[in-house]
């Protein structure tokens, strides 16, 4: 049964980095398919949907076009996790399980928790000043990671991210549509009938982990928190994420 990987706001499949291989190490034999949302990555020229359910519909169509039949297991972070929830709500029989990483669903977080006020100035500057690709990616790394990189490793990572942004630029209009979709999406009152695991980062500087805690409490979901990682948990400690997934699959009813 395949794992489908979904990233967050304005990010693309290449931003998973080494995570696919880390997941494959604990789930040998399971196909791993990373999808771009419209407006990002290979689909950067497409118009981003202004609703999360429309993004979920795109993912379903993309898998069908690839000839990959359900059921699927989805691992998704941030905006991608909202897409997974919308998918589980609309077509629960298509999803065997979903892992939700550092998401910020309404009504499980106040506005100031879903996006920390300490980051408003940085995000506003990025939105209004139109920085070059290198400055943009340097700011994103500072916002989303708590990992201590060596100088060479950090330079290589930022070099790759900058090249991807120049190759597949996300338009300002598409970024705003994705942000609007995330802001408007509201989780269903009843829990979708799909096995769900919540993963969160205690030191997330972008989204308050209280959003994940409240989601897990409201829907009676298992949750695991990483004590030092930032918002991009698969980047900061992908091996930990893979271990949590493997443990959950082995000890729960998740297929």
């Amino acid at each position: 049964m395949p794992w489908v990987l979904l990233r967050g706001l304005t990010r693309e499949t290449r931003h998973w980095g080494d995570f696919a291989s880390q997941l494959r190490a604990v789930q040998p034999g399971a196909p791993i398919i990373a999808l771009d949302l419209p407006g990002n990555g290979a689909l950067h020229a497409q118009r981003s949907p202004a609703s999360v359910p429309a993004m979920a519909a795109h993912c379903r169509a993309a898998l069908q076009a690839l000839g990959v039949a359900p059921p699927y297991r989805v691992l998704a972070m941030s905006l991608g996790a909202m897409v997974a929830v919308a998918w589980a709500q609309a077509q629960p029989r298509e999803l065997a399980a979903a892992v939700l990483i550092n998401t910020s669903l309404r009504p499980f977080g106040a506005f100031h928790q879903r996006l920390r006020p300490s980051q408003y100035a940085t995000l506003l500057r990025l939105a209004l000043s139109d920085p070059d690709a290198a400055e943009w990616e340097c700011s994103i790394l500072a916002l989303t990671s708590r990992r201590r990189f060596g100088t060479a490793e950090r330079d290589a990572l930022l070099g790759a991210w900058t090249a991807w942004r120049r190759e597949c630029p996300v338009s300002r209009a598409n970024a705003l549509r994705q942000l609007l979709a995330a802001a408007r999406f509201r989780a269903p009152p009843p829990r979708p009938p799909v096995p769900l695991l919540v993963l969160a980062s205690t030191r997330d500087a972008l989204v308050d982990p209280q959003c994940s805690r409240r989601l897990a409490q409201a829907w009676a979901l298992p949750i695991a928190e990483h004590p030092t990682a930032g918002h991009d948990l698969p980047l900061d400690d992908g091996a930990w994420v893979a271990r949590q997934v493997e443990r959950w699959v082995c000890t729960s009813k998740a297929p």
Side-chain angles (χ1 to χ4, degrees):
M1 187 185 307
W3 280 100
V4 178
L5 307 185
L6 303 177
R7 290 287 303 195
L9 185 74
T10 76
R11 308 312 267 174
E12 60 161 279
T13 58
R14 289 178 289 189
H15 287 106
W16 286 108
D18 295 331
F19 178 70
S21 62
Q22 292 166 331
L23 181 60
R24 190 173 290 111
V26 299
Q27 292 279 283
I32 297 176
I33 304 167
L35 295 179
D36 280 325
L37 297 177
N40 300 340
L43 307 181
H44 70 279
Q46 295 187 17
R47 181 184 176 93
S48 294
S51 80
V52 170
M55 295 177 185
H58 163 83
C59 293
R60 298 180 62 232
L63 289 167
Q64 291 171 7
L66 290 172
V68 182
Y72 316 112
R73 295 177 291 187
V74 177
L75 185 144
M77 61 174 290
S78 201
L79 173 60
M82 296 184 189
V83 174
V85 169
W87 194 348
Q89 179 186 18
Q91 301 290 337
R93 293 184 179 179
E94 291 187 358
L95 299 189
V99 180
L100 312 177
I101 302 174
N102 286 332
T103 194
S104 55
L105 295 163
R106 286 195 304 159
F108 305 116
F111 182 81
H112 69 277
Q113 293 173 319
R114 299 180 69 208
L115 184 62
R116 290 188 184 271
S118 59
Q119 307 302 345
Y120 292 174
T122 298
L123 293 172
L124 188 62
R125 175 179 60 81
L126 290 174
L128 297 180
S129 66
D130 196 24
D132 66 21
E135 182 183 353
W136 184 286
E137 291 303 331
C138 187
S139 297
I140 294 298
L141 182 62
L143 282 173
T144 60
S145 177
R146 296 282 193 170
R147 181 171 160 184
R148 294 185 177 182
F149 293 95
T151 301
E153 186 181 18
R154 182 179 185 275
D155 288 349
L157 179 69
L158 286 174
W161 284 10
T162 299
W164 299 341
R165 177 168 288 276
R166 289 172 177 156
E167 179 187 350
C168 299
V170 179
S171 71
R172 183 175 297 178
N174 274 340
L176 289 174
R177 274 190 286 269
Q178 292 174 40
L179 188 60
L180 176 63
R184 293 166 58 185
F185 182 65
R186 188 178 184 88
R191 166 185 165 178
V194 171
L196 301 172
L197 170 66
V198 177
L199 300 180
S201 301
T202 301
R203 298 190 64 208
D204 189 337
L206 199 62
V207 173
D208 193 322
Q210 189 65 18
C211 296
S212 290
R213 295 172 191 144
R214 290 185 63 188
L215 169 64
Q217 181 180 30
W219 284 358
L221 302 178
I223 181 172
E225 286 192 40
H226 193 291
T228 61
H231 186 68
D232 196 339
L233 180 50
L235 170 67
D236 282 2
D237 198 344
W240 181 89
V241 175
R243 289 195 302 271
Q244 298 304 316
V245 171
E246 175 64 7
R247 183 177 300 128
W248 177 58
V249 168
C250 289
T251 60
S252 73
K253 296 180 181 179

